Amino acid sequence: MTEFFTVHTPPDARQLFRRHFTPHVRTERIATAAALDRILAEPLHSGQDLPDFPRSTVDGYAVAAADTYGATAGLPAYLNVAGEVAMGRAADLQLTLGEAALVHTGGMIPAGADAVVMVEQTQAIDAGSIEVLKPVAEGENVIQVGEDIRQGDLVLGPGRRLRPQDIGGLVALGITEIAVAVPPRVAILSTGDEVVPPDRSIAPGQIRDINSYTLAALVRRNGGEPITYPIVPDDRAKLEAAAAKAHAEADIVVLSAGSSVSYRDMSVDVIAGLGEPGVLLHGLSVRPGKPTIVAVCDGKPVFGLPGNPVSAMVIFDLVVAPAIRECLGAETVTRSRVEARLARNIASTTGREDYVQVRLEERDGEQWAVPVFGKSNLIYTLVNADGVVQVPLDAGGLRQGDRVTVYLH
Ligand code: AMP
Ligand code: MG
């Protein structure tokens, strides 16, 4: 166990954390209709071909393609209309040579037909016959049986975060109930004598609690269930009691503030007392966010985040969000991002990752990432930012005009 401020790089921190934390994914069965953004916890196979009957993709006439070969506006093919395929019904017609059937988009292709002529390519002669003005190829304007998905195919695998179209794809196959991961409970504990709830008026020297709220929102956005605890003053006994309660009730514990090394910063000692192996690292080579604590206590991840709201958010993305994903068994998804050119030089030093908040601006048809500078404790640098640019560990900085990836907020 390390009790000193020994700085680790983010890759080292990830490795260390993985060595000591084994996630257990809990699952529950829920209605597919209610599963938006949930993480699938089972492989799903199709029990049928989709579609399970051949369907027309247009309004027109189902035909045998061979009956239309060589047809032109000047020399059309004449076909007898044997009937109409009703929507939602099996086509009970059997076409023979020289026959066509009226079909609508999504309707079943009758036996004897293998293509559909769009209605725009036909001319009605009378109630019982049409002229076809252009040939169709076999299979034209037809969705074949199993063309969407085949019976037995793997539809979606475990770890998938379900999107609106995934829900549509599942209900199309009659899969109306699925196993998903239970969101891990993430305890959020803001600490600090100066921090007061936001619905209170503040006395000089006090500030309203920002982190409980941004962290809870981040937990929810990452698929966890936040549990917010009352603000704890900088009092060792009170912090110990609150942390022990949070550790007992939640799957992951996040302490905000008090994570540094001054005599007022008690997070590291309190976390060390929560269980084995305890504190894995104290200090991350990241700016902003160096005073970070990563711990595993009796099988549960515990994080000490810096109180500065900008740092807290950067460090949440780096260490807490991946832990939530692991508890969900979720696939790693790359964050939404855009490419842009950097509007100003950014200084850094090798051996440290920097995260710079940027606004996106379009100039002459090109996206530019404009750093939102400000002292480190300004929540509105985050509010005004569209995303964040990372200066890699091994880079001494970035130059104006460089192409950069902006990870969107
Ligand atoms: P600390 O990590 O305790 O050194 O705090 C760093 C800075 O973050 C200090 O200026 C704190 O006042 C501020 N801070 C601590 N907790 C919060 C919070 N919950 N919301 C907003 N700012 C905070
Ligand atoms: Mg403090």
Side-chain angles (χ1 to χ4, degrees), residues 386-408:
D386 295 307
V388 70
V389 168
Q390 186 214 57
V391 187
L393 208 56
D394 54 9
L398 295 173
R399 289 191 165 282
Q400 181 178 352
D402 279 357
R403 296 193 178 278
V404 292
T405 302
V406 179
Y407 294 93
L408 299 173

Side-chain angles (χ1 to χ4, degrees), residues 11-245:
D12 284 350
R14 273 188 287 275
Q15 237 185 27
L16 195 57
F17 180 70
R18 276 209 205 93
R19 265 217 306 283
H20 289 93
F21 176 58
T22 316
H24 299 286
V25 181
R26 289 193 304 274
T27 68
E28 60 180 335
R29 291 194 71 78
I30 63 165
T32 306
L36 181 65
D37 288 334
R38 299 295 296 271
I39 305 297
L40 188 62
E42 61 178 340
L44 294 172
H45 296 268
S46 177
Q48 62 164 86
D49 285 329
L50 188 70
D52 61 356
F53 60 90
R55 302 177 77 187
S56 176
T57 62
V58 296
D59 292 323
Y61 291 91
V63 298
D67 282 348
T68 68
Y69 290 164
T72 62
L75 205 62
Y78 290 88
L79 298 177
N80 292 318
V81 179
E84 176 178 351
V85 178
M87 290 302 287
R89 299 270 186 84
D92 51 7
L93 298 162
Q94 164 75 55
L95 301 189
T96 56
L97 200 67
E99 282 186 338
L102 183 61
V103 290
H104 309 285
T105 305
M108 187 186 279
I109 307 296
D114 57 19
V116 179
V117 185
M118 285 172 75
V119 72
E120 294 89 333
Q121 311 290 355
T122 67
Q123 183 89 50
I125 302 172
D126 52 46
S129 54
I130 54 165
E131 291 177 346
V132 174
L133 311 176
K134 234 180 125 180
V136 280
E138 202 180 304
E140 201 169 324
N141 300 325
V142 176
I143 304 173
Q144 305 294 348
V145 169
E147 194 171 329
D148 217 348
I149 196 119
R150 291 215 161 273
Q151 179 169 10
D153 278 357
L154 179 68
V155 179
L156 294 173
R160 168 70 158 243
R161 185 184 295 273
L162 295 166
R163 303 170 302 162
Q165 59 268 50
D166 299 330
I167 290 171
L170 295 178
V171 297
L173 299 170
I175 300 172
T176 55
E177 222 188 79
I178 53 175
V180 295
V182 175
R185 291 159 305 200
V186 183
I188 296 165
L189 245 112
S190 275
T191 71
D193 284 342
E194 73 281 25
V195 183
V196 298
D199 56 356
R200 292 268 182 84
S201 55
I202 42 176
Q206 294 184 324
I207 55 157
R208 294 194 179 90
D209 180 9
I210 295 170
N211 294 344
S212 291
Y213 298 88
T214 48
L215 293 173
L218 284 166
V219 165
R220 204 169 283 122
R221 179 179 273 182
N222 282 276
E225 186 199 329
I227 313 174
T228 306
Y229 287 78
I231 298 159
V232 189
D234 295 319
D235 174 297
R236 177 73 185 254
K238 286 188 175 141
L239 186 56
E240 265 171 10
K245 181 169 153 65

